Amino acid sequence: MGVRKRETADARKEANKSIAFAKLNNCPTSPRKMRLVADMVRGQKVELALNVLRFSTKEASRKLEKLLLSAINNWTQKNSEASIEDAGLFIKEIRVDGGAMLKRLRPAPQGRAHRIRKRSNHVTIVLGQLDNTQSN
């Protein structure tokens, strides 16, 4: 690895130390279904987002709820002296990207075969903190 590449990688790692985020890779749900649930909680405060996910009937909401709890736990690990209620945490960014695809064949009439694509996705949640100057 070159010097410039190593320096930018180190700078990125330092920046990630102050950001609270959580990632879920290769979740066996199609990205389209996961984005429906992710759009419901994008930009919401953490408490409201947890309630929305807890009472949603979609299967993807269970996985996103666990991921959001993991992101909250990561934030508390990095900010052990602060409390969650006073911090004003909200979902700053939630990203759903396509993951690996399992390709299967389903028999079709007259000796043909249709390809079935079993999709998966990667979800990233980044938490943000409301500043006291913004809330006044």
Side-chain angles (χ1 to χ4, degrees), residues 58-73:
K58 298 203 175 283
E59 179 64 30
S61 66
R62 307 287 170 258
K63 296 172 180 161
L64 268 185
E65 182 184 0
K66 282 182 74 172
L67 186 65
L68 182 56
L69 287 172
S70 175
I72 293 168
N73 195 14

Side-chain angles (χ1 to χ4, degrees), residues 28-95:
T29 309
S30 73
R32 188 174 180 180
K33 291 177 184 176
M34 188 64 85
R35 281 188 194 109
L36 285 173
V37 179
D39 289 340
M40 290 193 303
V41 297
R42 181 173 285 123
Q44 300 285 338
K45 289 194 172 187
V46 169
E47 296 86 9
L48 181 63
L50 280 173
N51 285 333
V52 167
L53 292 173
R54 188 166 292 132
F55 294 110
S56 175
T57 57
K58 298 203 175 283
E59 179 64 30
S61 66
R62 307 287 170 258
K63 296 172 180 161
L64 268 185
E65 182 184 0
K66 282 182 74 172
L67 186 65
L68 182 56
L69 287 172
S70 175
I72 293 168
N73 195 14
N74 291 343
W75 183 86
T76 56
Q77 294 292 324
K78 291 180 180 180
N79 305 319
S80 57
E81 69 279 351
S83 68
I84 296 175
E85 293 82 18
D86 298 335
L89 289 178
F90 70 101
I91 298 177
K92 184 177 182 180
E93 180 183 353
I94 183 166
R95 203 169 48 244

